[in-house]
Amino acid sequence: MLGSMQDWPLVVPSILDHAARFHGEREMVTRSVEGPVVRTNYAQVHSRARKVAKALTRHGIKLGDRIGTLAWNTARHMEAWYGIMGIGAVCHTINPRLFPEQIVYIINHAEDRMMFVDLTFVPILEKIAKQIDVVETFVVLTDKAHLPQTSLRNVVAFEDFVGDVDDDFKWVKFDENTAAGLCYTSGTTGNPKGVLYSHRSNVLHAMAVNTSDCIGARSVDTLMPVVPMFHANAWATTFACPMTGSKMVMPGAKLDGPSVYELLDTEKVTITAAVPTVWQMLLSHMEANDLKLPHLRKVMIGGSACPPSMIETFEKKYDVEVMHAWGMTEMSPVGTIGSYKADMENLPWPEQLKIKSKQGRAMFSVEMKITDDDGKDLPHDGKIFGHLIVRGPGVARAYFKGEGGRYGTDSILDKDGWFDTGDIATLDELGFMQITDRAKDVIKSGGEWISSIDVENIAVGCPGVAQAAVIGVAHPKWDERPLLIIVRKPDAKVTKADVLKYLEGKIAKWWMPDDVQFVNEIPLTATGKIQKVALRQQFKDYKLPAA
Ligand code: ADP
């Protein structure tokens, strides 16, 4: 027997309809790419998104067409997103930090018919213009006055694009399983692969992210996603905020410590989200200038492991709750979140810090488990680690155009519908997951595994250390041994002996790095993670002292 409730499709434009209808006056504040901080609200964003939709339709864009965006977090970018998705076209967010060849590859692979681009990124497109013939029109996210001289063909300023039409437009009707967004993974090996979100998966994921144990933004909150919209939908905040009527603060092109601090402070931001490298810049700025953030209550940190020293600084020095989260592009992207369970709030701080340093527990709509190499389930005891596999309505079942499919199909799942995350992790009795390593980064020493993340996390707590990375280096007896690579804080004099002494007693003896090398810079990926592949390449001729 079927239930007799309304069949109301879970589609993204209904989120913005709700925001305009019930939170129309709520602000969206942007540090514009042109410079000044500009203000709009959900009612205006809704109106202009419908103008985008109408203008796209006039340009012949239809259901299922892909439209690229190469843009920062701004209100104009949001208007473009909702306009694109509102006609059932697919919003393809492109990470501008990818190599130009990768950008060429994904634009062609996605067959983007149109491109919305920020002023900052026009030069990137000019350089590759001859290789991306698929793009018919370039809409530069600015007004006529700021439109630069450019060699790109068919260029129009966004303000003219929306200025030519009115907002009398009804969203196109389509099935909730229609594709809404396309986001390519960084592709550390091989070509980037496209994850194709549906309207249904985006709406469900935003609802899950909005639960109080997760980001849990409320209408009274002000949320600043520092994590870019091209990094897995700014972790769903682009849908979660309009759903609740939270004020949004968009940092635009400036993600350095002073700029991020200024917006957090002046806009009285209560919740924010980004990768650890962003927070490292903010914290050094705050520490150097003796600053505080009295309004900030929650910071979501994920994308790579958050060092305990960073958690402690936010919680104890600045009284900001840290939510350590884990996820991936293929998961919409949030999988786990480190909020306390009953009774944990009363534990002594050192024990709480241990819990917070784990990547957290699965939110509703995410199932996960760990398995051995043969796919057999492993116990959840917080010690044994294995392959972390997941499933749920926000998890991809295939990549765009069937790339990477298995068993002769486009599916990337095993026979029971599980997706292998490529991460190695433990799961404890209470459901808290801790990432040991990416499967390809774990260091195999004498048949045992060393977690590079654990050693890095502790090493960054050593005074004078700004960044730390650990890679495995070939060893005649042990197969591989850990090499610790460090970037010193400005003016710090920390030595190899200091670092090794600091690690003593904090990690198992046989995990001790065989050597410490100091560098000026550690290469980061397009999403701000340590680029282990590049680092291994950089040290390919390096020989360990004892080897
Ligand atoms: P990319 O940055 O390569 O485009 P993702 O953002 O999807 O891709 O990266 C997902 C991966 O990032 C995860 O599989 C995991 O290895 C790593 N990751 C994400 N969050 C965390 C975290 N909190 N701690 C450790 N690793 C994390």
Side-chain angles (χ1 to χ4, degrees), residues 255-492:
L255 307 183
D256 57 283
S259 305
V260 166
Y261 175 82
E262 189 196 32
L263 280 183
L264 289 172
D265 183 43
T266 55
E267 295 302 326
K268 301 190 171 53
V269 171
T270 56
I271 307 179
T272 183
V275 294
T277 37
V278 165
W279 301 131
Q280 198 206 329
M281 293 189 284
L282 175 80
L283 291 175
S284 351
H285 174 68
M286 288 177 68
E287 277 164 35
N289 298 285
D290 199 17
L291 301 169
K292 291 254 178 295
L293 282 170
H295 301 284
L296 190 63
R297 63 180 183 89
K298 243 188 206 185
V299 55
M300 186 171 176
I301 308 183
S304 47
C306 179
S309 50
M310 181 175 283
I311 299 175
E312 180 143 1
T313 309
F314 267 119
E315 295 245 348
K316 293 296 162 197
K317 186 161 177 194
Y318 297 113
D319 198 22
V320 176
E321 183 188 359
V322 170
M323 313 213 76
H324 190 186
W326 162 89
M328 58 198 313
T329 306
E330 288 88 335
M331 296 181 73
S332 291
V334 185
T336 61
I337 188 106
S339 47
Y340 292 142
K341 292 176 95 171
D343 300 332
M344 288 179 174
E345 267 167 353
N346 303 321
L347 290 173
W349 172 244
E351 280 179 56
Q352 288 185 330
L353 183 59
K354 268 193 206 143
I355 297 168
K356 292 238 161 188
S357 301
K358 295 192 173 194
Q359 276 73 5
R361 55 204 168 80
M363 60 178 195
F364 175 69
S365 74
V366 174
E367 277 184 52
M368 63 186 195
K369 58 181 188 171
I370 49 173
T371 62
D372 66 13
D373 289 344
D374 301 322
K376 276 217 301 290
D377 289 3
L378 291 171
H380 298 182
D381 63 2
K383 294 187 195 79
I384 291 183
F385 46 80
H387 302 276
L388 181 62
I389 64 173
V390 295
R391 63 182 180 191
V395 180
R397 63 170 169 74
Y399 289 111
F400 188 46
K401 295 187 175 172
E403 304 287 338
R406 301 166 62 177
Y407 318 114
T409 68
D410 70 350
S411 170
I412 49 173
L413 310 180
D414 73 10
K415 61 181 186 352
D416 298 317
W418 293 92
F419 171 72
D420 185 343
T421 63
D423 284 332
I424 303 294
T426 61
L427 265 166
D428 68 20
E429 297 85 346
L430 296 172
F432 282 76
M433 183 274 286
Q434 184 158 28
I435 299 279
T436 307
D437 237 321
R438 290 292 292 167
K440 47 189 186 294
D441 294 337
V442 77
I443 298 160
K444 297 173 189 89
S445 175
E448 302 277 353
W449 288 7
I450 298 174
S451 158
S452 65
I453 293 182
D454 275 2
V455 183
E456 289 159 5
N457 265 347
I458 295 171
V460 286
C462 175
V465 172
Q467 275 176 295
V470 176
I471 54 169
V473 176
H475 188 283
K477 180 161 172 211
W478 303 110
D479 288 338
E480 274 185 337
R481 289 295 303 156
L483 164 68
L484 174 57
I485 300 157
I486 281 180
V487 179
R488 291 188 181 96
K489 285 192 176 156
D491 304 325

Side-chain angles (χ1 to χ4, degrees), residues 18-27 40-45 245:
H18 173 82
R21 206 170 289 140
F22 300 107
H23 305 280
E25 75 299 341
R26 210 57 178 130
E27 279 187 313
T40 178
N41 61 32
Y42 282 125
Q44 287 170 26
V45 170

